[in-house]
Amino acid sequence: MTTQSPYIGRFAPSPTGALHAGSLLAALGSYLQARSRHGQWHVRIEDLDTPRCPPGTADDILRDLERCGFEWDGPIVYQSRRLPAYQNAIERLQQTGKIYPCACSRREITDSSINGIDGPVYPGTCRPGLAQGRIPRALRISTHDDLICFNDLIQGQTCQRLQSEIGDFVLRRADGLFAYQLAVVVDDAELGVSEIVRGADLLSSTPRQIYLQQLLKLPTPGYAHLPVLVNAQGQKLSKQTLAPALTTAEPLAALRHAMHTLSHPPPAEIDTLEAFWQWAPAAWHMANVPSQRTIAAV
Ligand code: GLU
């Protein structure tokens, strides 16, 4: 007899601004996928970049999730409290010999790089060792150019060559902060996340995360990248693009609207939060979610 391992999902907002229609989509998609599988759903606050996280924002996000009726499992994880775990991962990666210090300034990198899908492709300047007198700033990991592929539940087969499309990437920044790519891998493994449901703006980050999972000998979860909401200019809704905070909206209206966007139109009689949460997990089919990377916010 085989026992199926439990489904563990998560929502991992960066508390740079309040919950808005775009982040609600990621919360809802990950939640319904987990609940429809009778799985767990965890919330992790990605507050590593403290200068970009105004005080109180994480609490605002949690309060909005609660007001909408989301129920999470286990304690909330705060990345800002997990620095020793990231340091430990850096030390384990150092043992692979693939980490190197980088002395390049932002300016030097933009001047010497071609532009890739996620900014300048670092040309590996410091990989052979630092030139005399150069001061180490960031820590980078050497990449290779073999195809890294994964089968995304929504976006389909997705492949990338890290070295030529991304370049050796940063694990610890010049300001000492651990990079998102590292922290997310360590934390998802620690929670035992079996499937990651999040916005398609992170599709191009996934091969970096799979690479780190391989080097750290961690399991690779399943992936499902939801379309992200974009404004009329094609920009992702975010605090920077002035997305209105959800607090200004009625929770039920916001949830109904999010389900429409995810191609799960709620019947008219779903007119209370209670009715919504009774209906939504049973109605949820990932296969109905449009397999596109962006959706225009209306
Ligand atoms: N913290 C990231 C964000 O808010 C999401 C990270 C993830 O889901 O892997 O965009």
Side-chain angles (χ1 to χ4, degrees):
M1 201 180 86
T2 54
T3 46
Q4 266 209 315
S5 45
Y7 184 101
I8 302 180
R10 50 63 154 189
F11 172 54
S14 306
T16 50
L19 200 66
H20 53 76
S23 39
L24 179 67
L25 227 53
L28 190 57
S30 61
Y31 187 80
L32 291 179
Q33 179 71 354
R35 292 301 185 230
S36 66
R37 303 287 183 87
H38 308 288
Q40 298 174 24
W41 185 74
H42 295 264
V43 175
R44 180 172 68 237
I45 300 292
E46 302 212 320
D47 56 353
L48 276 183
D49 197 350
T50 15
R52 289 185 57 228
C53 302
T57 309
D59 288 343
D60 292 346
I61 291 176
L62 295 173
R63 190 204 53 225
D64 282 349
L65 288 173
E66 248 167 349
R67 278 180 61 229
C68 285
F70 288 94
E71 290 172 359
W72 50 85
D73 294 293
I76 304 283
V77 176
Y78 291 86
Q79 287 194 323
S80 57
R81 301 178 193 166
R82 291 190 32 79
L83 305 188
Y86 311 138
Q87 183 55 36
N88 181 276
I90 293 267
E91 282 159 22
R92 276 186 290 147
L93 288 169
Q94 258 155 349
Q95 284 162 17
T96 68
K98 291 194 186 303
I99 288 194
Y100 63 87
C102 174
C104 298
S105 65
R106 206 179 276 260
R107 181 65 195 271
E108 286 170 313
I109 294 169
T110 35
D111 285 353
S112 61
S113 310
I114 52 159
N115 228 17
I117 45 174
D118 200 12
V121 176
Y122 183 68
T125 320
C126 296
R127 198 198 263 209
L130 292 189
Q132 191 95 59
R134 296 295 313 254
I135 297 167
R137 291 161 53 87
L139 286 180
R140 288 184 185 269
I141 185 119
S142 301
T143 53
H144 58 63
D145 229 13
D146 299 343
L147 268 185
I148 296 182
C149 296
F150 61 101
N151 195 12
D152 192 85
L153 218 53
I154 300 170
Q155 308 291 339
Q157 175 86 348
T158 307
C159 296
Q160 201 178 65
R161 294 186 195 276
L162 282 181
Q163 194 175 319
S164 46
E165 294 182 58
I166 300 290
D168 294 351
F169 55 96
V170 169
L171 298 185
R172 207 178 65 211
R173 300 176 357 183
D175 58 11
L177 293 186
F178 294 103
Y180 156 71
Q181 306 292 354
L182 177 78
V184 75
V185 164
V186 171
D187 288 343
D188 285 332
E190 173 81 22
L191 282 174
V193 170
S194 57
E195 187 175 79
I196 294 179
V197 181
R198 62 183 174 192
D201 52 319
L202 292 164
L203 195 65
S204 65
S205 286
T206 304
R208 270 169 276 184
Q209 296 170 16
I210 292 175
Y211 180 56
L212 292 178
Q213 287 153 5
Q214 290 168 347
L215 290 175
L216 288 165
K217 300 193 168 37
L218 299 171
T220 290
Y223 287 96
H225 285 86
L226 302 162
V228 292
L229 275 187
V230 292
N231 63 18
Q233 288 74 44
Q235 301 162 316
K236 180 190 169 193
L237 291 200
S238 68
K239 190 187 165 204
Q240 286 74 32
T241 58
L242 306 178
L246 198 72
T247 32
T248 57
E250 181 54 33
L252 178 65
L255 289 164
R256 285 185 55 95
H257 193 259
M259 285 303 266
H260 262 286
T261 310
L262 294 170
S263 295
H264 288 73
E269 61 270 22
I270 305 297
D271 55 4
T272 62
L273 271 182
E274 204 185 359
F276 178 86
W277 287 118
Q278 259 168 26
W279 164 79
W284 178 254
H285 288 291
M286 191 63 104
N288 291 359
V289 174
S291 53
Q292 47 195 75
R293 296 201 189 175
T294 58
I295 292 194
V298 283

